Amino acid sequence: MPKLGFGVFQITKEDCERCVLDAIKVGYRHIDTAQSYFNEEEVENAISKCGLKRFVYHNESMD
């Protein structure tokens, strides 16, 4: 598991996908998100578009 992750807390839905793609481009391989951030779909879209085959996606559920 990567030691450093990119957190998406307080990133707006409008900016989230681009920010995650930028983070992946510069080398991040761990994206930290949570259901309460309300930007999970945008994170998922970025991960799907990035072209990497292996990725660590950490999602903390509020359950």
Side-chain angles (χ1 to χ4, degrees), residues 9-43:
F9 179 60
Q10 294 184 334
I11 297 178
T12 65
K13 287 182 174 246
E14 295 77 26
D15 294 329
C16 188
E17 186 175 320
R18 178 190 50 79
C19 289
V20 172
L21 283 168
D22 288 346
I24 293 167
K25 184 177 178 179
V26 299
Y28 282 92
R29 295 299 180 262
H30 175 123
I31 306 299
D32 182 46
T33 187
Q35 187 177 18
S36 63
Y37 300 170
F38 303 107
N39 55 16
E40 293 172 296
E41 184 177 345
E42 292 74 21
V43 172

